[in-house]
C-alpha cells in the first residue's frame, strides 16, 4: 500500500557556498548517502541484483574466503522475517578487532595476499556497507572459548561484550536491511538459492545449510550446467579443470545465442569481463583450427552453454559490486606489478583452452562429430535468414521505429553510465496506457514500447517470425536482443498490461515470445510484470493506493469514516500524475522466474497450445509471473 507524498526540490542557483556548506561525513553516513557506490542499486528485492542480495553476498563472501583457505567445511544461512544470518566455522575474526573489521573503512586481513591469496573482497568495504545499511547488525566471533559480540544500528555501535562460549570457532553475522533505505523490500527465495548453489558449484567439498535445504555439489561446474540447461545437450558436458581455470560446456538443441555463467574467485560476474571474453575467443579459435575450416564464430557458439571460473590474485573489478572483471593480468599484487613478465588473463585462458579442448576433441571423436554437425546446421540457418534480417532492418527504418513505437530514454543499459542499472523499457498496449506512462516516466532512464492490440501467439514458430512479424521485429530492434545478451539496451524489461482477462492474455503472449526466442533474457533476471494498484482510497488528508483487498481494508481502517474508494479498471484510467508514484522509486515489480519443475516446451504447450477448458480454468485461477522450467 503506497501513501502519496510530496517532495520539495532544491534551488542550487540560490544556495550559498561558504565554509558552513563543507561537511565531513562519518563512514556510515557516506555509505547511506551514496549507497550506489558500494552496493550498486538499492531496489526492493524484485531483481536479483538488488542491494539486499548484495548485502547477503558480502557476508557470505567472507565465509567462503575462510573455506577456501581451509577453515571450516560448512556454512549455515538462514532467513526469517527479513533477518539474514550467516554462520561459518572458520577461524573467527581476531577478538580485539571485531568492531573495527565491521565499522572502520579499509580495515581487514585481505590486504595481506599471504592470508587471502585469491579472495573476492579486497577493499575492506563489504561488511561495513552491510552494517551501515542495516537497521540491526550483529557480529559474533568465537575463538578458543571466547565470544565477542557487537551490536549496531545503521552503523552506530550500541553494545559490545566478551563472554565465555563453548561454541565451535567461527563467525556469525545477523542483519536486517534498513527499510528506510530499501523501502518495502522482500527477499525472493529463488534468488538466494541460486546464489548459494553457485557457491557450492565453485567450492568442492563445501556444504551450505540454507533453512532446511542442504546445498552441495560433487561435480562443480558440470553440475551447474546439467542443472540449468534447457533442452537436451548434443553431447555430454565437457568438464575441464586446470590450476586456476575451470570450465564446462556443451551445445543445446533448440537454443539461440550463447549462455555463460562466469566467475572470478567465486564471485558470479554476471556481466562477464576479460575472462569470459577470452574464453569466447579461445573456444571459437580452437574449433576452427581443429576442423581446419574458417567457420563463422557465431555459428560455432550458437547454442553454446558454458560455465567459466578463474582464480586471480587481487582481481580488479569494474565496480564495488564485482559483476564484471576488469583485470588484464592474472596477478595484480604490488610485487607482480613491479615485474615485467606478468601473464595476462587473455593469454592464460586462450592457451589453456586451446590445449585442453584440442586434446579432448582428438580423443573424443563422437563429441567432435556432434559439434561439427551443430556448427553446420547453425551456418545453414544463419545464411537462410540473412536476407530476411536485411529486409527486417529496412522495414524497421521505413516505419520509423523511434517515432511510431518507441519513446526511448536517454541512458541505456549497455552504456558506461552510473544510471544503466535503472534503465527500464515498459511494454504496454493501448493509447491511453501508453500516454499515461509516457507522460509520467523519467525520460532519462525509462522508455515505452507501444503494442498495437494483442501480439501473435508465437508458440511453436521458428525465429523467422521475429523478422517477418512487424510487431516482434520492432520489439526486438528496440531491445537490441541479438545473439549476445550483453547488447541489451535496457536492464529491466517490464510488461505493463491491465489486470483483466485481456491484459493477462497479452502477458501470456509476451511471455511466450520471450520464452520461445529470448529465454536468456528471463534467465538473467531482466523480465518483470508491473504491479499497479487496484484501488485508490482517500479522504481530504491522505490518499492510499492499494494492490489487494487486504490493503484496501487496512486503508479504510486507517482513514476511518467513509473514504472515497475508486476501483481502477485499467492503466488508462490512472492519471499521469498518479502514475509517477507507481513507476517511480516505489515501483512494484514481479520478476518472471524460471523454475525447474518442468521444461520450457511442456510449459508453453500447456499455456499456449491447444485451447482446452482445463488450461483456461488453470490460467484464470492460478496465473502467476513465475514460469516452471527444467
Amino acid at each position: 500500500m503506497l501513501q502519496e507524498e510530496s517532495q520539495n526540490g532544491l534551488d542550487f542557483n540560490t544556495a550559498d557556498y561558504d565554509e558552513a556548506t563543507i561537511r565531513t561525513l562519518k563512514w556510515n553516513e557516506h555509505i547511506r548517502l551514496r549507497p550506489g557506490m558500494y552496493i550498486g542499486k538499492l531496489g526492493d528485492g524484485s531483481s536479483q541484483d538488488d542491494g539486499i542480495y548484495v548485502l547477503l553476498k558480502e557476508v557470505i563472501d567472507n565465509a567462503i574466503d575462510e573455506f577456501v583457505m581451509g577453515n571450516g567445511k560448512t556454512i549455515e544461512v538462514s532467513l526469517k522475517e527479513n533477518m539474514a544470518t550467516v554462520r561459518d566455522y572458520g577461524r573467527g575474526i581476531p577478538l580485539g578487532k571485531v568492531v573495527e573489521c565491521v565499522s572502520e573503512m579499509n580495515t581487514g586481513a585481505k590486504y595481506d595476499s599471504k592470508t587471502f591469496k585469491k579472495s573476492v573482497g579486497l577493499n575492506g568495504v563489504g561488511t561495513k556497507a552491510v552494517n551501515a545499511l542495516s537497521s540491526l547488525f550483529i557480529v559474533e566471533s568465537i575463538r578458543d572459548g571466547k565470544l565477542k559480540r557487537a551490536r549496531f544500528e545503521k552503523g552506530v555501535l550500541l553494545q559490545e561484550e566478551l563472554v565465555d562460549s563453548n561454541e565451535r570457532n567461527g563467525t556469525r553475522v545477523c542483519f536486517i536491511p534498513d527499510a528506510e533505505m530499501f523501502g518495502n523490500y522482500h527477499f525472493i527465495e529463488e534468488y538466494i538459492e541460486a546464489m548459494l548453489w553457485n557457491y557450492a558449484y565453485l567450492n568442492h567439498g563445501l556444504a551450505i545449510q540454507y533453512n532446511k535445504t542442504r546445498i552441495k555439489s560433487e561435480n562443480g561446474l558440470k553440475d551447474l550446467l546439467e542443472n540449468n540447461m534447457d533442452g537436451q545437450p548434443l553431447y555430454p558436458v565437457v568438464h575441464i579443470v586446470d590450476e586456476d581455470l575451470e570450465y564446462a560446456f556443451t551445445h543445446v538443441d533448440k537454443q539461440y545465442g550463447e549462455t555463460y555463467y562466469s566467475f572470478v574467485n567465486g564471485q558470479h560476474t554476471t556481466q562477464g569481463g576479460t575472462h569470459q571474453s577470452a574464453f569466447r575467443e579461445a573456444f571459437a579459435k580452437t574449433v576452427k583450427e581443429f576442423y581446419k575450416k574458417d567457420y563463422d564464430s557465431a555459428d560455432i557458439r550458437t547454442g553454446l552453454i558454458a560455465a567459466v571460473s578463474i582464480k586471480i590474485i587481487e582481481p580488479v573489478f569494474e565496480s564495488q559490486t564485482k559483476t564484471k572483471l576488469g583485470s588484464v593480468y592474472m596477478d595484480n599484487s604490488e610485487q607482480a606489478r613491479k615485474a615485467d613478465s606478468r601473464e595476462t588473463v587473455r593469454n592464460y585462458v586462450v592457451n589453456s583452452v586451446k590445449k585442453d579442448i584440442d586434446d579432448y576433441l582428438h580423443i573424443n571423436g563422437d563429441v567432435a562429430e556432434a559439434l561439427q554437425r551443430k556448427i553446420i546446421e547453425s551456418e545453414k540457418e544463419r545464411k537462410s535468414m540473412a536476407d530476411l534480417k536485411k529486409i527486417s532492418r529496412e522495414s524497421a527504418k521505413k516505419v520509423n521505429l523511434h517515432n511510431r513505437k518507441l519513446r526511448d530514454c536517454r541512458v541505456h543499459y549497455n552504456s558506461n553510465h552510473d544510471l544503466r542499472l535503472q534503465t527500464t523499457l515498459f511494454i504496454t498496449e493501448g493509447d491511453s496506457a501508453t500516454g499515461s506512462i509516457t507522460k509520467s516516466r523519467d525520460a532519462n532512464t525509462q522508455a515505452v514500447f507501444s503494442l498495437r492490440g494483442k501480439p501473435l501467439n508465437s508458440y511453436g514458430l521458428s525465429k523467422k517470425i521475429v523478422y517477418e512479424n512487424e510487431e516482434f521485429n520492432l520489439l526486438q530492434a528496440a531491445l537490441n536482443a541479438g545473439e549476445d545478451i550483453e547488447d541489451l539496451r535496457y536492464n529491466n524489461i517490464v510488461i505493463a498490461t491491465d489486470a483483466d482477462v485481456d491484459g493477462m492474455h497479452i502477458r501470456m503472449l509476451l511471455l511466450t515470445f520471450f520464452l520461445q526466442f529470448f529465454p536468456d533474457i528471463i534467465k538473467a533476471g531482466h523480465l518483470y510484470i508491473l504491479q499497479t494498484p487496484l484501488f485508490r482510497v482517500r479522504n481530504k488528508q491522505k490518499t492510499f493506493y492499494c494492490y489487494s483487498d487486504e490493503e484496501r481494508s487496512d486503508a479504510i481502517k486507517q482513514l476511518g469514516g467513509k473514504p472515497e474508494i475508486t476501483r481502477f479498471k485499467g492503466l488508462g484510467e490512472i492519471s499521469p500524475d498518479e502514475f509517477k508514484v507507481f513507476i517511480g522509486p516505489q515501483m512494484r515489480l514481479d520478476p518472471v522466474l524460471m523454475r525447474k519443475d518442468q521444461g520450457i516446451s511442456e510449459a508453453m504447450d500447456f499455456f499456449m497450445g491447444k485451447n482446452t477448458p482445463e488450461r483456461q480454468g488453470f490460467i484464470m485461477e492460478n496465473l502467476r509471473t513465475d514460469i516452471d522450467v527444467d
Side-chain angles (χ1 to χ4, degrees):
M1 182 166 54
L2 293 181
Q3 183 174 348
E4 191 175 42
E5 297 178 353
S6 63
Q7 296 181 344
N8 294 323
L10 295 177
D11 185 357
F12 290 99
N13 293 324
T14 61
D16 293 331
Y17 178 60
D18 54 24
E19 288 82 356
T21 64
I22 306 299
R23 295 179 59 198
T24 300
L25 298 177
K26 297 179 181 178
W27 68 274
N28 57 321
E29 291 177 331
H30 189 270
I31 293 174
R32 293 177 66 83
L33 183 65
R34 298 285 185 266
M37 293 177 59
Y38 301 92
I39 63 166
K41 64 177 181 175
L42 290 171
D44 65 355
S46 299
S47 174
Q48 59 191 356
D49 57 5
D50 280 350
I52 59 174
Y53 304 111
V54 177
L55 300 187
L56 180 59
K57 180 190 73 64
E58 292 288 356
V59 177
I60 296 176
D61 281 347
N62 290 339
I64 294 295
D65 286 335
E66 280 294 297
F67 168 81
V68 170
M69 295 304 295
N71 305 293
K73 296 183 178 180
T74 301
I75 297 173
E76 298 168 356
V77 180
S78 64
L79 181 66
K80 185 177 182 180
E81 296 180 353
N82 286 340
M83 173 179 276
T85 301
V86 179
R87 170 68 154 103
D88 68 49
Y89 295 91
R91 293 164 290 184
I93 304 170
L95 300 184
K97 291 291 184 180
V98 171
V99 172
E100 289 89 336
C101 281
V102 299
S103 64
E104 290 188 11
M105 298 296 283
N106 306 315
T107 301
K110 297 176 184 177
Y111 301 105
D112 180 1
S113 290
K114 294 181 180 178
T115 305
F116 293 90
K117 292 181 179 179
K118 293 167 183 175
S119 168
V120 172
L122 295 173
N123 301 319
V125 172
T127 51
K128 287 79 167 176
V130 182
N131 189 355
L133 297 173
S134 296
S135 56
L136 176 65
F137 180 92
I138 302 172
V139 57
E140 297 177 343
S141 178
I142 305 99
R143 286 177 73 122
D144 304 324
K146 297 290 183 180
L147 183 150
K148 178 64 177 288
R149 178 184 296 113
R151 183 186 183 97
F152 297 81
E153 181 180 302
K154 301 177 183 179
V156 177
L157 178 63
L158 300 179
Q159 179 188 18
E160 61 176 311
E161 59 181 336
L162 180 65
V163 298
D164 294 332
S165 174
N166 58 7
E167 287 193 59
R168 289 169 55 191
N169 285 2
T171 303
R172 180 186 293 111
V173 173
C174 308
F175 69 94
I176 301 176
D178 186 7
E180 184 179 322
M181 300 298 300
F182 297 97
N184 185 27
Y185 67 87
H186 59 291
F187 285 98
I188 293 179
E189 295 279 336
E190 287 84 355
Y191 291 161
I192 297 175
E193 288 189 10
M195 178 197 306
L196 298 180
W197 270 111
N198 283 340
Y199 283 120
Y201 294 137
L202 294 165
N203 296 278
H204 181 73
L206 171 67
I208 300 176
Q209 189 68 33
Y210 173 53
N211 291 339
K212 296 182 179 180
T213 303
R214 180 177 170 83
I215 297 174
K216 189 173 183 179
S217 169
E218 298 295 339
N219 302 298
L221 298 185
K222 181 175 183 289
D223 288 342
L224 187 157
L225 293 192
E226 290 179 345
N227 291 339
N228 287 279
M229 72 175 68
D230 300 317
Q232 295 299 315
L234 298 180
Y235 50 87
V237 173
V238 178
H239 185 204
I240 295 174
V241 181
D242 206 338
E243 181 179 359
D244 286 323
L245 180 67
E246 177 185 0
Y247 56 93
F249 67 88
T250 186
H251 280 76
V252 181
D253 64 345
K254 299 179 182 179
Q255 177 173 307
Y256 299 101
E258 313 161 41
T259 301
Y260 294 96
Y261 301 88
S262 66
F263 307 86
V264 176
N265 295 4
Q267 165 64 33
H268 190 190
T269 42
T270 55
Q271 296 183 30
T274 51
H275 62 313
Q276 181 173 309
S277 298
F279 179 85
R280 295 177 73 242
E281 174 193 343
F283 186 87
K285 183 178 181 180
T286 301
V287 169
K288 291 178 186 179
E289 292 179 356
F290 175 81
Y291 295 112
K292 295 182 175 61
K293 290 186 177 292
D294 189 24
Y295 290 125
D296 190 289
S297 296
D299 297 331
I300 293 173
R301 296 193 297 252
T302 291
L304 176 68
I305 176 172
V308 183
S309 174
I310 194 169
K311 295 179 181 177
I312 295 175
I313 295 178
E314 297 188 8
V316 177
F317 296 95
E318 293 195 0
S319 69
Q320 171 61 23
T321 53
K322 310 180 186 82
T323 54
K324 187 172 184 179
L325 180 68
S327 291
V328 174
Y329 299 101
M330 292 292 294
D331 187 344
N332 294 290
S333 64
E334 183 177 357
Q335 182 178 359
R337 286 194 293 268
K338 294 178 180 177
D340 296 328
S341 57
R342 281 196 292 169
E343 185 169 25
T344 66
V345 171
R346 178 188 174 279
N347 287 346
Y348 177 79
V349 174
V350 169
N351 292 336
S352 178
V353 168
K354 181 178 179 181
K355 175 184 179 301
D356 291 334
I357 292 183
D358 184 76
D359 288 347
Y360 190 94
L361 293 176
H362 274 99
I363 295 172
N364 298 274
D366 54 340
V367 173
E369 291 177 6
L371 175 56
Q372 189 170 35
R373 284 197 299 270
K374 173 62 175 175
I375 295 170
I376 293 172
E377 290 174 3
S378 298
E379 184 179 52
K380 289 180 179 178
E381 183 175 7
R382 175 178 56 84
K383 290 180 177 180
S384 68
M385 295 182 69
D387 292 339
L388 188 60
K389 288 182 179 181
K390 181 179 179 180
I391 293 172
S392 72
R393 287 193 296 268
E394 293 301 321
S395 174
K397 292 179 182 178
K398 289 180 180 179
V399 297
N400 198 350
L401 170 66
H402 291 284
N403 289 334
R404 183 177 175 184
K405 306 292 291 185
L406 177 69
R407 282 78 167 177
D408 209 354
C409 56
R410 299 187 182 98
V411 178
H412 295 100
Y413 177 56
N414 58 2
S415 62
N416 292 320
H417 194 287
D418 291 341
L419 297 176
R420 64 185 183 277
L421 289 177
Q422 301 175 28
T423 54
T424 300
L425 176 69
F426 295 100
I427 304 175
T428 190
E429 187 273 330
D431 293 337
S432 296
T434 299
S436 291
I437 295 181
T438 301
K439 293 176 183 177
S440 308
R441 66 181 177 134
D442 178 352
N444 282 320
T445 59
Q446 295 179 328
V448 183
F449 184 90
S450 178
L451 295 170
R452 186 181 65 251
K454 293 182 179 180
L456 177 71
N457 181 358
S458 59
Y459 171 63
L461 303 179
S462 71
K463 199 171 184 179
K464 181 180 179 182
I465 198 67
V466 175
Y467 303 102
E468 291 180 332
N469 180 272
E470 180 180 301
E471 199 93 274
F472 288 158
N473 182 24
L474 295 177
L475 179 56
Q476 178 196 232
L479 295 170
N480 198 32
E483 303 302 325
D484 193 339
I485 195 172
E486 292 186 3
D487 294 331
L488 273 180
R489 300 177 75 240
Y490 310 95
N491 184 51
N492 309 308
I493 302 165
V494 178
I495 298 174
T497 61
D498 293 341
D500 57 13
V501 174
D502 285 340
M504 290 185 177
H505 189 206
I506 293 173
R507 289 184 192 179
M508 290 302 302
L509 292 169
L510 288 171
L511 289 173
T512 301
F513 167 78
F514 283 104
L515 282 168
Q516 182 87 2
F517 304 120
F518 304 106
D520 289 347
I521 288 178
I522 301 177
K523 290 179 187 176
H526 292 295
L527 189 63
Y528 300 88
I529 303 296
L530 176 67
Q531 286 191 44
T532 51
L534 298 176
F535 307 98
R536 180 180 60 212
V537 182
R538 66 183 177 184
N539 59 20
K540 293 182 179 180
Q541 287 75 40
K542 291 183 179 180
T543 299
F544 290 98
Y545 297 101
C546 308
Y547 292 76
S548 65
D549 290 329
E550 292 77 10
E551 289 190 2
R552 179 186 60 175
S553 297
D554 290 342
I556 293 173
K557 290 179 182 178
Q558 290 189 50
L559 294 179
K562 294 184 178 180
E564 174 190 320
I565 302 174
T566 301
R567 171 70 161 91
F568 294 119
K569 297 180 181 179
L571 302 185
E573 295 184 357
I574 304 175
S575 69
D577 287 340
E578 288 179 303
F579 235 120
K580 289 180 181 179
V581 179
F582 315 137
I583 62 174
Q586 300 184 76
M587 177 168 55
R588 295 191 186 185
L589 297 176
D590 283 336
V592 179
L593 304 177
M594 301 185 76
R595 294 177 175 170
K596 302 179 181 179
D597 297 327
Q598 68 181 120
I600 288 178
S601 298
E602 290 83 355
M604 289 199 298
D605 183 58
F606 180 81
F607 286 110
M608 306 308 295
K610 292 183 179 179
N611 194 3
T612 64
E614 179 185 6
R615 185 198 68 189
Q616 290 179 6
F618 180 88
I619 292 176
M620 292 299 297
E621 294 179 14
N622 300 284
L623 183 64
R624 297 174 58 185
T625 56
D626 49 310
I627 303 299
D628 293 333
V629 301
D630 187 9

